[in-house]
Every structure is written in C-alpha cells, then in structure tokens.
C-alpha cells in the first residue's frame, strides 16, 4: 500500500507473498451470472459480465467487470440507472478527441457508481466489413481516427480509476462464425490497418487490459496466438497490462499461457485446476504464471482500483443526460440538404408529418453485450413486465420519442403521425405537409451480421411512396453503420443520427430545428451497393453447420470447441474503407469524412513544412450565415514505390467559426503517419520519395495540395 512505489514495484512485492493457489485465483473468472451458475466463492460479485475474486484475505479487491461500450450494461438487473451515450461509431463522427474523453469519463463514473472497477468497452476493430453486426460498437474504417478516438475514450475511463480495456484483439471483423473463423491476412496489411488502430489506442490510452478475440488469425485462435500477444502486443508495443480472453474464447492451457493470455474469462476451464496441474507437472513454468499475475496486479495498482475503490451511489442522471445530448448533437451527420429544407423554421411552417415505425415511442439502440438498459424498459413495450430489462438479441427502443421531441420543439405546428407500415397510408399521411420527417432504422446486435446494407422491413418502398407524395421529405436514419439509399435523389434532406442514446430524439430535434448546427463527419464510407464492398457477399460458415453457428446466444464451451474452422481471406489487404473505393475507382454514396453543415466553409492557403514532424496549416473561412464547426482533414498520397492505396488520413483539425470568420488552423503531424510496414526490417519506416499532402472537407473533396520530398 506504499503509494510512493511504482505499480510494478508494488506488484512485485505482493507477488512474492503469494501461494500458487492465490496466483491462480487472479488468473480467471468465476462464471458469467447472465449465462448460468457462478462459482460459489463469487458471492461478492456485483452481477456484471464477470468477476475475478481477488484476494479478500489480504484485502486485494476483486475485479468487478462490466460491459460498457456506450454506457453501463446490465444496470436494470441491479436496479440502477445507466445513461446511454450515442453509439461508439457516432462518437467517432464527432472527430473530437475531447468528446471521446468525456464519453469515457462518464462511463467510468457510472461504472463506479454501480460498484464496478473494470470496463469491457473500448471496441476498435476496423470496419473492414461494414455488415459486421458490431460496426456500431467500433469507431469506423480508418486506423488513425479509430485509434485516436478509442485512446481518448480509454483515458477518460481510466481517469475515474476504473481499469480500461481495448478489444477485440484482433481481426474480429465479422460476427458470422466468429467462434471459429480464421481471418487470414498478411503481416504488412494487418500492421497498417487493424493492428494500427490498436497500437494507437494503446499508445494514447494506456488501457489496463486487452481483450483477445474469438476468431482465429491466420489459423491460430487469437487468445493463443503468439504472434499477436507475445510478438506484437507485449514485444513490439511493450504493453505492460494484462490480456483477458473474450468470454469463452480460451481454448487451451499451455499454449495460451505461453502465447501470453493472462486471464481466462468468464470461467476457469483452462486457467483453474488445469493450470495448477500444468504448473506442477512443469508444462507451464512458474515464471510464466508470475508474469501473468504481475501484469494483473500492476494494472490494478496503476489504474487505482486498490487505492481508490468504487463507492456505490446514484449516477448524476441530469448532468450525464446533458452530455449524451451534446455528444449526439456533435455526432449527427447531415448528408443531404436540398433547397435548404433544414433547419426547419418552426415559425414559418404549419404542418409536419412524422412517419416511421415507433417514431411515436422511441429511438432504437444497438444490442448484444453492449446493450444499455433503458429507464423503465423497452419503449415499444412488447416485453412482459417481469423481463423489462435489456436482453441479448432483442431490439430495444429508448423512450426518448421523436414525435414528442418534435412537438415540444415546434409547439405551434400541427404534427401528425403515421407508423410507416403501409406505403399508401404513409404517402397519404405525407401529402400536403410542409415537411415530412421519416424516421428509418436498421437494428444491429452482436452475433448476427447484416445480410445486406439495405434498410430492413420494406422501408425503402415506404420512403419511395412518401417522397412521391411529398418531396419535402427529411429521412432521419437511426442506424449503426452505413445503409443503402435507392431513394437518395428523391428526398430533400438526409440526417444520419446513428444509435443516438438516452437523449437522442431531443438532440435530433435540436438539429432539425437549427438550435444546433450539425458538424459530424462520416467515420465510415456509405457505398452505393453491397456489390461495391471488397467482399460483395458476406462469407458465412459452411452450410452443414449453419445451425450450430447461429450465435443468437452465448454458446457453451463444449459446442465452441467442436466448430470447424473456415477462412475469410482479407485479400483486399491495405484497402479498407475509403482506401478500397479510391483504389478501385468506385463512386460512393457518401465518402469517408463527409458531412454538411447549415453553414458553408472555404479552404485556402495550405502550407506544409517538414522537420521532425509535418507542420500543416490551412485557412478555413465560414462563408455562411450561421456559426458552425468544421473538421479540416489532411490526407497524404504516398509515393508510388510504397504500393499504398491512393491516399490516407494523416491528421485533422476541428474549429468553431462564426459567420464570416476565418481561421488559420494548424496541426503538427508526426512523420510516422507517412510510414509503411517494412516487412524485412520488421518495423515502420518512411520511404524516400514525393508525398502529396492535401487538405479539405472530406476524403473526396481535397481542394488544396502541396508536395514534399523526403530524401
Ligand atoms: C463479447 C464481448 C463481451 C463479452 C462479455 C462477448 O460475447 O464478444 O465483447 O465483452 O461477451 O459480455
């Protein structure tokens, strides 16, 4: 308990006192209370996703673990309230690292309020496959943006003395067959894409834990993958924390231990009695166990969970709701605004038709283990009272209803509602209104990928009928990722609101009526069709075993062990997201980085100087009539000799500008942003050649450029 010592020194002192049984007790969980019986010694469990007992006999607290991607999960089970923030992908659309810190800090605070000291948030798998059911839990398709945002989120979480986590390491890029799929990819492509997002997140956020994923990587399970855990994570990146397995993602004792898995969750199949036997028979050296335990202990000291344990208290509901509203305002992306239909002027319009399933009741949220419980239960109310809490694989609508929010924002306007279930009735409801607000949704939840990016439940046909009846239609998208829009040319405006959290409808009304000027930019490309994706058809497990694969619930370990491997070969390699569409010369629906404002911005005068870093400056002027925020994006076109895709994001700078205001925006960009993985040298290096640095409002609109030479 001597706080003047470093976490490593404190861990060493403690480790020396421990018996083998005590050490092993720290290396595994005690069962998942949501999935069946837990270890009888786990009576101190807080009821979250997992629990490591700790060493109560010497006062070392247990690790109380909970899922908390966009807010604290499973709170209704403990009768406590959690604020749902906009989904993680939405937070990436802010391009605002400070907002990510606040996002993480709020989650950390609410975890503490509910008695937890470790999060399982921090998802940062790159959106290689946008139909991945967990796209909403991740931070988009660019490693720099995703890594920067997750690193800042982790900083926020850990500032509250909660152990931070980053997941799912690595290449867990689709859910289909996730327990056995082998993600196959070359080292360079992996290092510059998916791994780079983790590397940056770890460098910036210093998370206490890294969760290894279910899938195999190049044929070896991630949680027993020596290349990933030992060579890259603990070797090259010098990660000092501990590796925790995803729930039931451990498949061995000796191999996993040797590869660098420190903690098995949620049970002790491989790291309990089996590990003891392996140590006693010399198959696992004691030094290896000591390293695992050292990492767990040093993380507990470093995060502050020993010195400053959580105290249960009521979360600050009001302050956190305000934060959820502010982050959603910044997350919303205005994709289209023909004839400036938006913002709506409540003083000048008389009728608004609100159309869309459940738009009178709530806003949809992302499911799976990320699910945050809505206050009072599912707003659509089709769940029996006794089960009124979020559940695995059930679409949950939060009770902030668009209809009520619009009525409250425009009290003088006649607002009608139609549920959008029938195209003709919806068209009739739309006819003659001054504006139509169509709320379209696409639900996603862990385990089950989307078969297509198209909107479900025939919504496209309803939107088509509505726009024919009334072109003054605004489509508000409640989605966890990109969707296809066959009606894109027929509507007036399109607003991407993502899964918008506890205050979603309120924040959306703020934007629709102009109290807030939208500034979000897409962290992910919206393609024109599934056919344009690197893999036009989702790669699913072999048909014979499809039934076993339906991951509609967490599966038993026995079943998981028997699943045959199948391959997803990521032969697009470096070309993830915009890098794919750029390289393949494919037009897109809305490019990476894109987002409109109620104002307009002009870019002039790019200057780039090189030294130990790139100093980039650009002048941005607000040429509109409203104050607004703009995110200037800087990309680099690499020398042809590097064999890189046409451009990569290397930095950005976000600024608030009053009407007519002009600012010189500057950003220091480390030279590593230009680096490529050198396979023979086993390191990143910046090749000689000519680099073209560009600046502009999105990845396909880069009006300014300047070339630099690197000898
Ligand atoms: C998910 C993890 C989650 C864990 C615990 C797994 O199924 O993949 O993201 O943290 O369950 O709920």
């Amino acid at each position: 308990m001597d706080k003047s010592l470093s976490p490593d020194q404190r861990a060493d002192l403690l480790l020396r006192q421990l018996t083998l049984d005590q050490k092993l007790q720290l290396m595994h969980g005690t069962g998942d209370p949501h999935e069946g019986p837990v270890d009888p010694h786990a009576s101190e469990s807080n009821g979250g996703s997992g629990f490591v007992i700790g060493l109560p006999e010497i006062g070392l607290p247990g690790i109380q673990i909970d899922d908390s991607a966009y807010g604290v999960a499973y709170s209704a089970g403990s009768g406590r309230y959690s604020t749902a923030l906009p989904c993680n992908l939405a937070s990436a659309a802010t391009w605002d690292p400070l907002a990510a810190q606040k996002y993480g800090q709020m989650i950390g605070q609410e975890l503490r309020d509910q008695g937890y000291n470790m999060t399982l948030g921090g998802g940062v798998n790159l959106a290689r496959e946008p139909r991945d059911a967990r796209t909403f839990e991740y931070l988009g398709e660019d490693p720099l943006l995703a890594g920067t945002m997750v690193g800042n989120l982790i900083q926020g979480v850990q500032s509250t003395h909660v152990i931070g986590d980053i997941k799912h390491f690595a290449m867990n890029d689709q859910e289909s067959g996730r327990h056995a799929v082998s993600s196959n990819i070359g080292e360079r492509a992996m290092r510059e894409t998916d791994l780079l997002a983790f590397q940056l997140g770890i460098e910036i956020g210093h998370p206490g834990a890294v969760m290894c994923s279910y899938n195999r990587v190049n044929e070896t399970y991630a949680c027993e993958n020596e290349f990933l855990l030992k060579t890259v994570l603990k070797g090259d990146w010098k990660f000092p924390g501990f590796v925790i397995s995803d729930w039931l993602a451990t498949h061995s004792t000796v191999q996993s231990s040797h590869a660098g898995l420190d903690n098995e969750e949620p049970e002790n199949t491989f790291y309990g009695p089996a590990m003891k036997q392996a140590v006693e028979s010399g198959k696992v050296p004691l030094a290896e166990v000591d390293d695992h335990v050292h990492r767990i202990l040093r993380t507990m000291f470093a995060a502050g969970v020993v010195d400053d344990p959580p105290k249960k208290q009521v979360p600050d509901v009001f302050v956190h709701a305000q934060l959820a509203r502010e982050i959603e305002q910044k997350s919303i992306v205005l994709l289209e605004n023909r004839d400036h239909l938006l913002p709506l002027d409540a003083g000048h319009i008389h009728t608004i038709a609100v159309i869309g399933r459940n738009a009178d009741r709530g806003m949809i949220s992302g499911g799976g283990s990320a699910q945050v419980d809505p206050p009072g239960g599912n707003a659509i109310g089709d769940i029996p009272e006794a089960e009124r809490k979020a559940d695995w694989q059930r679409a949950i609508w939060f009770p902030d209803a668009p209809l009520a929010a619009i009525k409250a924002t425009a009290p003088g306007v006649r607002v009608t509602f139609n549920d959008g279930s029938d195209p003709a009735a919806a068209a009739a409801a739309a006819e003659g209104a001054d504006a139509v607000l169509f709320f379209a949704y696409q639900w996603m939840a862990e385990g089950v990928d989307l078969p297509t990016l198209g909107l479900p439940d025939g919504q496209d046909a309803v939107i088509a009928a509505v726009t024919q009846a009334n072109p003054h239609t605004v489509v508000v998208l409640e989605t966890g990722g990109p969707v296809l829009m066959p009606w894109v040319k027929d509507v007036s405006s399109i607003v991407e609101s993502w899964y918008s959290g506890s205050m979603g409808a309120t924040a959306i009304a703020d934007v629709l009526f102009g109290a807030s000027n939208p500034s979000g930019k897409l962290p992910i490309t919206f393609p024109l069709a599934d056919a344009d994706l690197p893999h036009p058809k989702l790669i699913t497990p072999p048909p014979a075993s499809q039934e076993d694969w339906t991951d509609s619930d967490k599966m038993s370990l026995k079943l998981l062990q028997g699943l045959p491997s199948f391959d997803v070969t990521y032969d697009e390699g470096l070309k993830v997201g915009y890098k794919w569409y750029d390289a393949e010369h494919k037009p897109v629906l809305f490019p990476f980085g894109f987002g409109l404002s109620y104002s307009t911005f002009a870019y002039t005068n790019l200057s780039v100087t090189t030294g130990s870093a790139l100093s980039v400056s650009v002048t941005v002027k607000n040429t509109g009539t409203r104050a607004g925020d703009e995110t200037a994006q800087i990309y680099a076109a690499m020398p042809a000799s590097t064999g890189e895709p046409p451009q990569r994001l290397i930095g950005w700078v976000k600024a608030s500008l009053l009407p007519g205001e002009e600012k010189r925006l500057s950003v220091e960009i480390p030279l590593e942003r230009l680096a490529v993985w050198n396979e023979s040298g086993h390191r990143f290096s910046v090749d000689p050649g000519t680099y073209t640095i560009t600046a502009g409002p999105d990845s396909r609109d880069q009006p300014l450029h300047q070339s630099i030479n690197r000898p």
Side-chain angles (χ1 to χ4, degrees):
M1 295 304 290
D2 181 351
K3 293 183 200 165
S4 70
L5 301 178
S6 72
D8 286 304
Q9 288 171 318
R10 293 173 75 180
D12 280 339
L13 284 172
L14 179 48
L15 183 63
R16 268 185 238 144
Q17 312 287 327
L18 301 184
T19 64
L20 178 60
D21 286 328
Q22 284 177 315
K23 290 174 185 173
L24 294 180
Q25 183 152 303
L26 296 171
M27 285 170 50
H28 60 76
T30 50
D32 182 340
H34 305 279
E35 301 301 326
V38 296
D39 184 320
H41 298 104
S43 58
E44 296 301 308
S45 166
N46 200 37
S49 317
F51 177 53
V52 177
I53 295 182
L55 300 170
E57 64 277 21
I58 58 159
L60 184 79
I63 310 182
Q64 302 281 4
I65 309 173
D66 203 28
D67 280 291
S68 35
Y70 61 89
V72 180
Y74 305 119
S75 59
S78 61
R80 279 174 190 264
Y81 165 91
S82 299
T83 305
L85 291 161
C87 68
N88 305 81
L89 188 68
S91 82
T94 68
W95 295 59
D96 182 348
L98 204 61
Q101 279 186 24
K102 290 185 188 163
Y103 189 106
Q105 195 180 3
M106 191 217 80
I107 290 175
Q109 186 57 51
E110 290 201 2
L111 280 166
R112 285 179 67 87
D113 293 344
Q114 305 197 35
Y116 295 107
N117 58 15
M118 177 166 172
T119 173
L120 292 181
V124 72
N125 295 88
L126 270 206
R128 240 173 218 286
E129 171 48 82
R131 289 161 299 196
D132 179 344
R134 305 187 80 170
T135 300
F136 74 95
E137 288 184 58
Y138 302 144
L139 296 157
E141 67 192 22
D142 181 80
L144 178 59
L145 179 63
T148 304
M149 295 303 279
V150 82
N152 280 275
L153 173 140
I154 293 164
Q155 269 186 27
V157 173
Q158 295 200 150
S159 72
T160 68
H161 295 164
V162 162
I163 299 172
D165 170 53
I166 192 167
K167 71 183 186 185
H168 306 85
F169 192 67
M171 304 300 303
N172 186 181
D173 293 347
Q174 69 172 42
E175 289 291 281
S176 302
R178 64 177 175 166
H179 296 287
V181 63
S182 179
S183 302
N184 295 340
I185 185 167
E187 179 171 357
R188 172 174 171 190
M190 192 164 24
R191 292 269 192 177
E192 291 188 30
T193 60
D194 299 51
L195 292 188
L196 184 55
F198 279 92
Q199 184 177 358
L200 293 168
I202 291 169
E203 272 171 27
I204 298 168
H206 305 288
V210 171
M211 181 191 278
C212 53
S213 54
Y214 286 125
N215 55 291
R216 296 169 160 103
V217 176
N218 293 329
E219 309 301 341
T220 305
Y221 281 117
C223 291
E224 56 187 42
N225 195 308
E226 198 173 330
F227 170 74
L228 286 179
L229 305 184
K230 204 175 239 173
T231 307
V232 176
L233 178 67
K234 294 179 175 180
D236 297 344
W237 302 348
K238 303 191 171 42
F239 172 67
F242 70 95
V243 175
I244 184 171
S245 77
D246 198 344
W247 268 223
L248 300 182
T250 310
H251 293 271
S252 62
T253 302
V254 178
Q255 186 173 340
S256 300
S257 172
H258 181 67
L261 175 68
D262 302 300
N263 180 283
E264 175 191 3
E265 292 298 330
E267 290 163 5
N268 66 350
T269 313
F270 299 102
Y271 274 32
M275 179 63 86
K276 188 169 182 183
Q277 215 184 13
V279 175
E280 286 171 347
S281 66
K283 289 194 185 118
V284 169
L286 193 57
E288 216 167 84
V289 167
D290 284 350
D291 180 54
H292 298 315
V293 178
H294 175 92
R295 287 168 174 278
I296 295 165
L297 290 173
R298 70 88 59 202
T299 296
M300 293 179 78
F301 287 117
V305 306
V306 179
D307 299 330
D308 182 21
K311 293 178 201 69
K312 285 195 186 181
Q313 60 178 23
V314 177
D316 195 336
V317 174
F318 298 104
V319 168
H320 294 175
Q322 186 51 32
L323 180 68
R325 180 177 181 172
E326 280 166 19
I327 292 182
E328 173 62 8
Q329 290 172 344
K330 291 181 182 213
S331 300
I332 289 173
V333 184
L334 180 64
L335 293 173
E336 183 58 87
N337 197 16
R338 288 196 183 90
D339 305 325
H340 305 286
L341 181 63
L342 294 177
L344 298 171
D345 183 347
H348 279 87
I349 54 175
H350 305 289
T351 52
I352 293 176
V354 171
I355 304 179
R357 183 171 168 213
N358 296 332
D360 56 336
R361 290 192 277 182
M363 303 287 297
I364 204 162
S365 60
S369 55
Q371 183 71 59
V372 174
D373 296 326
N378 197 344
I380 59 171
D382 61 355
I383 296 175
E385 195 78 34
E387 292 173 35
R388 275 192 165 237
K389 55 179 180 143
D391 207 347
W392 187 253
Q393 293 296 327
R394 188 179 270 158
I396 304 288
W397 297 69
F398 269 72
D400 197 27
L403 184 62
I406 287 154
K407 283 183 173 168
T409 314
V413 178
R414 198 169 81 82
V415 184
T416 63
F417 174 69
N418 173 277
D419 72 4
S421 56
D422 172 64
E431 219 168 75
D434 293 328
V436 179
L437 300 177
F438 190 102
F439 286 82
Y441 62 90
Q442 184 177 56
W443 182 64
M444 284 181 169
E446 178 183 337
V448 184
D449 291 329
L450 301 174
T452 166
L453 293 177
L455 286 173
D457 304 331
Q459 292 176 92
D460 286 336
V462 186
I463 297 173
V466 164
T467 54
Q468 236 189 357
N470 190 334
H472 302 301
T473 295
V474 180
V475 175
V476 180
L477 294 163
E478 302 172 44
T479 74
V483 287
L484 309 178
M485 304 181 199
W487 33 261
V488 66
K489 293 209 160 61
D490 307 321
V491 299
S492 282
S493 307
I494 305 169
V495 175
E496 176 56 85
S497 72
W498 316 105
Y499 300 147
S500 54
S502 295
M503 295 292 283
T506 312
I508 290 161
D510 291 337
V511 165
L512 293 175
F513 290 92
S516 166
N517 189 356
S519 62
K521 301 255 190 178
L522 293 180
I524 189 165
T525 306
F526 280 44
L528 280 166
D530 291 331
D532 291 335
L533 296 173
H535 303 273
K537 237 174 97 45
L538 197 72
I539 302 163
T540 50
S545 52
Q546 286 284 2
E547 234 172 57
D548 299 345
W549 291 96
T550 311
D551 195 349
S552 58
D553 224 317
K554 293 188 187 171
M555 304 162 99
S556 78
L557 191 60
K558 212 167 135 229
L559 182 56
L560 296 187
Q561 299 290 35
L563 292 176
S565 179
F566 72 101
D567 292 336
V568 172
T569 300
Y570 290 117
D571 43 17
E572 76 283 2
L574 296 168
K575 295 183 278 181
V576 178
Y578 63 92
K579 294 170 186 162
W580 165 258
Y581 305 103
D582 288 350
E584 302 292 314
H585 306 289
K586 284 183 190 289
V588 298
L589 188 54
F590 297 109
F592 176 80
F594 179 78
L596 301 169
S597 156
Y598 296 149
S599 223
T600 43
F601 301 95
Y603 283 70
T604 51
N605 210 359
L606 173 69
S607 90
V608 184
T609 55
T610 53
S612 55
L614 295 180
S615 302
V616 180
S617 299
V618 62
T619 301
V620 179
K621 181 175 184 180
N622 183 341
T623 48
T625 55
R626 282 171 186 267
D629 292 353
E630 171 68 348
T631 299
Q633 298 159 40
I634 318 293
Y635 294 79
M638 311 280 288
S641 59
T642 60
E644 287 287 308
Q647 60 171 351
R648 61 161 72 159
L649 180 73
I650 56 166
W652 67 92
V653 47
K654 189 169 179 176
S656 298
L657 295 158
L658 295 170
E661 192 183 7
E662 180 176 280
K663 276 187 186 163
R664 188 88 181 132
L665 307 179
S666 297
V667 53
E668 287 284 294
I669 297 177
L671 284 179
E672 299 95 84
R673 299 288 170 265
L674 302 176
V676 297
W677 181 254
N678 180 321
E679 296 220 91
S680 53
H682 296 289
R683 59 186 172 82
F684 276 104
S685 57
V686 183
D687 287 3
T690 301
Y691 293 78
T692 305
I693 311 300
T694 67
D698 67 66
S699 67
R700 291 233 163 147
D701 185 3
Q702 293 284 297
L704 307 175
H705 44 90
Q706 188 183 320
S707 292
I708 54 165
N709 276 313
R710 220 189 123 74

